[in-house]
């Protein structure tokens, strides 16, 4: 048997990138498979739950120079044999918060939990700096940096003084999913340091939830300076469910605050004391957005003897960020928005999106507040959009139809939240080049609206949410499918027997072989 080329082995193994169990088995096949598997297996171990054993393995790969600060501080390193591979060299995605959690667990195992908080913080800083130095020095392909939370963030010099460092960085992710009393200045300093000279290949930003004002400003500077950005993803999922409560008396505790706002608080309740006025500030996230809206009405209420002030939490400053799109007008290809409230964004500001002449993907998931005036602003300049996603939102149907009419002629992929007669007509008139169509919340009645479009389309892929429906209601779908269709995906709650009967029925009606899957 001829030996399989390494390129082919790697092409096979990359399909198991998220299946660690299979990758571990592949390591045991032979030396060639092992050498091809390890870079995949160790490219992203820090985005899973980081264990103290993983930190111990990484520490065992430190060079004598990297170990010296730890030994000088009195930190006992694991007495392990020298590893066969320098695992840190394979790292592609560096999640700082997960690394921090693993380091804290390892320090507790080493007994540092019994030391005072100052010594523990110093020990943490030293271990983190040694690990980051090792990662940045050895990993030639570090492509993604994930900053999740603000607590105990390393100094900016740790990232900038080691080569190749972050010079190959392509993606920057911020996931601030909880509130902090104040911004960690190290984060802002790092963001301000990420100039095109430091990160010349940065082309993707992924920003989620709560952002302090200075981080918003630093983010704006990044977009303005990196004129080769291709993808921006903005997610405000927690903001609409969050509030900030000021002027809480020091007599109150977390339980008092929970009982006062007794309308669905999650475990995300954080109290901070204000040294300047002997009051407290609470950061609260609710289970539902309507609970947060109700809580806003409680401003000027009294907790004990103190009159509180309730405000919406600070999130992504869309106005500032949208104004920067003119700087990336020639490079931006994908813009993905989640939980954006367009009612807080003027149509004039939204017009900046239309200036991105190379935009091929526009996604609105769980957004609200868009009007026809916004659509008019988006149409100021013609975009050759290829993919449009309008999912889980509360736009008026007329707005959704306006977006389809505006961009339909160039669309190849369209994901919709629902379908009515007007939308089906817009598909028929404007979307002649569509190759993939996905529709949520589709019932048997609205499915019939789509048949005229299907019969004249050249679709290759169709995905339908057929939950809560009887499978027999979808049998006549096969008689209206385009002959170009290769794949039919169904989100169903059909029983196994019903789905089997459904597929059999399809084969008798649809003459061309068709791949049908439950998704």
């Amino acid at each position: 048997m001829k030996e399989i080329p390494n390129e082919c082995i790697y092409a096979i193994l990359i399909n198991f990138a998220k299946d660690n169990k299979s990758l571990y088995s592949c390591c045991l096949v032979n030396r060639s498979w092992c050498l091809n598997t390890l870079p995949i297996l160790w490219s992203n171990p820090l985005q899973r739950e980081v264990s103290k054993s993983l930190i111990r393995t990484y520490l065992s790969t430190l060079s004598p120079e990297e170990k010296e600060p730890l030994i000088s501080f009195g930190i006992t390193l694991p007495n392990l044999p020298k590893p066969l591979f320098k695992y840190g060299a394979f790292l592609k995605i560096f999640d700082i918060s997960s690394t921090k959690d693993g380091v804290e667990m390892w320090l507790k195992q080493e007994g540092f939990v019994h030391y005072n908080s100052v010594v523990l913080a110093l020990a943490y800083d030293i271990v983190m700096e040694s690990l980051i130095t090792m990662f940045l020095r050895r990993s030639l392909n570090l492509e993604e940096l994930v900053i999740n939370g603000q607590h105990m963030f390393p100094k900016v010099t740790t990232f900038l003084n080691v080569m190749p460092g972050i010079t190959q960085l392509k993606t920057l992710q911020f996931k601030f999913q909880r509130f902090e009393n104040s911004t960690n200045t190290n984060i802002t300093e790092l963001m301000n340091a990420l100039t095109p000279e430091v990160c010349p290949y940065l082309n993707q930003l992924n920003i989620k939830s709560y952002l302090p004002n200075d981080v918003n400003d630093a983010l704006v500077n990044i977009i303005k300076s990196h004129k080769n950005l291709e993808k921006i993803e903005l997610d405000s999922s927690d903001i609409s469910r969050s509030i900030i409560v000021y002027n809480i008396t020091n007599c109150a505790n977390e339980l008092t605050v929970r009982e006062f706002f007794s309308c669905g608080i999650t475990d995300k309740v954080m109290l901070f004391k204000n040294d300047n006025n002997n009051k407290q500030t609470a950061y609260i996230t609710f289970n539902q957005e309507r609970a947060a809206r109700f809580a806003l009405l409680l401003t000027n209420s009294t907790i004990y003897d103190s009159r509180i002030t309730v405000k919406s939490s600070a999130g992504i400053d869309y106005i500032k960020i949208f104004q920067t799109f003119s700087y990336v007008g020639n490079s931006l290809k994908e813009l993905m928005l989640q939980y954006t409230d367009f009612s807080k964004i003027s149509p004039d500001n939204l017009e900046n999106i239309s200036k991105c002449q190379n935009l091929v993907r526009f996604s609105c998931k769980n957004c609200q507040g868009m009007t026809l005036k916004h659509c008019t602003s988006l149409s100021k300049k013609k975009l050759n959009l290829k993919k449009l996603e309008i999912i889980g939102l509360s736009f008026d149907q007329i707005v959704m139809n306006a977006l389809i009419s505006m961009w339909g002629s160039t669309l190849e992929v369209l994901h919709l939240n629902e379908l009515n007669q007007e939308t089906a007509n817009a598909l028929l008139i404007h979307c002649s080049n569509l190759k993939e169509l996905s529709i949520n919340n589709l019932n048997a009645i609205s499915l019939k609206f789509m048949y005229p479009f299907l019969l004249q389309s050249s679709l290759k892929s169709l995905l339908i949410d057929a939950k809560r429906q009887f499978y027999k209601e979808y049998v006549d779908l096969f008689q209206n499918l385009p002959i170009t269709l290769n794949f039919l995906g169904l989100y169903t709650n059909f029983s196994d027997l019903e789905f089997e009967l459904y597929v059999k029925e399809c084969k008798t009606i649809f003459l061309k072989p068709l791949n049908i899957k439950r998704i």
Side-chain angles (χ1 to χ4, degrees):
M1 178 178 176
K2 292 184 178 180
E3 187 173 330
I4 302 175
N6 283 334
E7 293 81 5
C8 296
I9 296 175
Y10 186 83
I12 295 170
L13 295 174
I14 197 66
N15 294 290
F16 299 94
K18 296 182 180 180
D19 186 352
N20 286 343
K21 186 175 181 181
S22 296
L23 288 175
Y24 279 122
S25 298
C26 291
C27 276
L28 304 177
V29 174
N30 56 39
R31 177 179 173 82
S32 178
W33 278 64
C34 180
L35 292 176
N36 280 282
T37 302
L38 282 174
I40 302 173
L41 188 60
W42 284 86
S43 65
N44 185 20
L46 298 174
Q47 278 209 300
R48 300 183 287 271
E49 185 175 345
V50 177
S51 64
K52 53 183 179 289
S53 62
L54 176 63
I55 298 299
R56 184 169 61 246
T57 300
Y58 275 134
L59 289 174
S60 68
T61 68
L62 295 179
S63 67
E65 179 186 354
E66 294 157 353
K67 290 179 181 178
E68 180 58 34
L70 283 74
I71 297 172
S72 299
F73 191 78
I75 297 176
T76 304
L77 292 172
N79 186 19
L80 297 173
K82 187 176 180 180
L84 295 175
F85 302 95
K86 296 180 179 179
Y87 298 107
F90 303 130
L91 192 68
K92 284 190 174 182
I93 303 176
F94 183 20
D95 188 324
I96 294 173
S97 181
S98 295
T99 309
K100 172 186 73 69
D101 294 340
V103 168
E104 288 178 345
M105 282 191 292
W106 182 78
L107 286 172
K108 288 178 182 179
Q109 182 191 39
E110 294 299 307
F112 276 85
V113 70
H114 302 299
Y115 289 75
N116 62 52
S117 58
V118 175
V119 175
L120 184 60
L122 286 172
Y124 164 82
D125 286 343
I126 291 171
V127 175
M128 278 294 289
E129 186 165 350
S130 291
L131 284 176
I132 293 174
T133 299
M134 182 268 292
F135 290 142
L136 299 182
R137 181 175 290 159
R138 295 182 187 168
S139 182
L140 301 177
N141 298 302
L142 186 62
E143 297 179 352
E144 185 170 336
L145 180 63
V146 181
I147 300 174
N148 191 342
Q150 301 164 234
H151 179 59
M152 297 180 74
F153 191 83
K155 296 177 182 178
V156 63
T157 52
T158 306
F159 294 91
L160 301 180
N161 289 348
V162 183
M163 288 296 146
I166 52 177
T167 57
Q168 302 301 309
L169 200 66
K170 294 180 180 178
T171 301
L172 182 61
Q173 277 200 57
F174 286 90
K175 296 181 179 180
F176 292 169
Q177 296 175 318
R178 61 185 180 128
F179 298 111
E180 303 287 354
N181 190 30
S182 60
T183 311
N184 187 313
T185 56
N186 290 347
I187 291 180
T188 309
E189 289 179 2
L190 176 62
M191 292 183 70
N192 287 326
L194 296 179
T195 63
E197 291 73 28
V198 175
C199 303
Y201 305 108
L202 188 66
N203 62 17
Q204 181 173 333
L205 289 177
N206 187 328
I207 314 298
K208 182 166 183 175
S209 291
Y210 169 70
L211 288 185
N213 286 333
D214 50 355
V215 174
N216 263 307
D217 292 339
L219 176 60
V220 166
N221 291 334
I222 288 178
I223 298 175
K224 284 183 176 180
S225 61
H226 289 268
K227 296 182 173 59
N228 293 318
L229 286 176
E230 296 182 359
K231 181 177 180 180
I232 297 178
E233 185 171 355
L234 306 174
D235 183 352
S236 296
S237 55
D238 280 350
I239 299 304
S240 60
R241 299 184 290 110
S242 304
I243 62 170
I244 304 176
V245 186
Y246 300 95
N247 206 39
I248 301 174
T249 175
N250 273 345
C251 299
N253 55 27
E254 182 181 315
L255 179 61
T256 306
V257 175
R258 285 181 178 273
E259 290 178 346
F260 183 82
F261 295 97
S262 57
C263 46
I265 295 178
T266 68
D267 59 349
K268 294 182 180 179
V269 179
M270 302 179 69
L271 268 176
F272 295 98
K273 291 186 177 181
N274 305 320
D275 296 331
N276 56 341
N277 62 1
N278 293 320
K279 298 292 184 179
Q280 298 183 93
T281 300
Y283 298 91
I284 304 173
T285 301
F286 295 86
N287 280 319
Q288 297 180 343
E289 183 179 343
R290 62 184 179 181
R293 290 200 301 266
F294 176 78
L296 291 173
L297 301 176
L298 299 178
T299 194
N300 294 325
S301 300
T302 302
I303 296 181
Y304 290 133
D305 59 348
S306 182
R307 192 178 297 275
I308 62 171
T309 300
V310 185
K311 294 184 178 182
S312 298
S313 58
I316 298 170
D317 193 331
Y318 286 95
I319 294 177
K320 286 184 179 179
I321 291 176
F322 281 8
Q323 289 172 347
T324 66
F325 288 162
S326 59
Y327 291 85
V328 290
N330 293 325
S331 65
L332 194 64
K333 296 180 179 178
E334 298 182 62
L335 178 60
M336 304 172 66
L337 307 176
Q338 295 197 53
Y339 293 91
T340 301
D341 186 353
F342 287 96
S343 66
K344 299 177 181 178
I345 305 169
S346 71
D348 289 341
N349 206 279
L350 201 64
E351 184 182 339
N352 290 296
I353 294 178
S354 70
K355 297 177 182 178
C356 301
Q357 290 299 288
N358 291 308
L359 197 68
V360 294
R361 179 184 182 186
F362 183 57
S363 174
C364 287
K365 296 183 179 179
N366 300 299
C367 299
Q368 61 182 353
M370 185 178 285
T371 65
L372 285 177
K373 289 184 178 179
H374 289 107
C375 295
T376 301
S377 294
L378 287 172
S379 65
K380 288 293 178 66
K381 293 186 178 181
K382 176 70 173 177
L383 296 179
N384 295 315
L385 215 62
K386 301 297 183 185
K387 184 172 184 178
L388 175 63
E389 296 165 296
I390 314 174
I391 303 172
L393 41 70
S394 54
F395 288 178
D396 290 337
Q397 197 71 39
I398 191 172
V399 171
M400 187 163 69
N401 295 342
L403 295 175
I404 294 173
S405 301
M406 185 194 315
W407 293 319
S409 62
T410 59
L411 285 180
E412 295 181 358
V413 178
L414 177 61
H415 293 186
L416 296 176
N417 197 51
E418 56 188 46
L419 183 79
N420 61 15
Q421 183 67 69
E422 290 74 20
T423 306
N425 291 339
L427 293 176
L428 182 63
I429 297 170
H430 300 286
C431 299
S432 58
N433 296 311
L434 215 56
K435 304 303 179 187
E436 177 181 312
L437 176 63
S438 174
I439 304 178
N440 298 333
N441 305 316
L442 187 69
N443 56 41
I445 296 175
S446 56
L447 179 63
K448 294 179 181 179
F449 298 150
M450 193 170 60
Y451 289 161
F453 164 75
L454 289 178
L455 287 172
Q456 64 88 46
S457 75
S458 56
L459 283 181
K460 293 185 177 180
S461 177
L462 177 63
L463 297 93
I464 294 176
D465 184 344
K467 289 182 180 178
R468 301 175 299 281
Q469 307 296 324
F470 296 107
Y471 82 96
K472 290 185 178 180
E473 295 176 320
Y474 285 83
V475 171
D476 60 348
L477 169 65
F478 300 124
Q479 297 174 342
N480 295 277
L481 292 176
I483 59 174
T484 55
L485 199 70
N486 297 320
F487 176 76
L488 176 63
L490 297 172
Y491 301 86
T492 75
N493 54 2
F494 299 166
S495 68
D496 291 340
L497 178 59
E498 287 175 330
F499 190 76
E500 184 179 335
L501 291 172
Y502 189 69
V503 174
K504 184 181 292 186
E505 190 80 20
C506 168
K507 291 180 178 180
T508 62
I509 297 175
F510 195 69
L511 299 179
K512 178 186 173 181
L514 181 64
N515 183 13
I516 306 176
K517 285 190 177 181
R518 297 178 69 174
I519 301 175

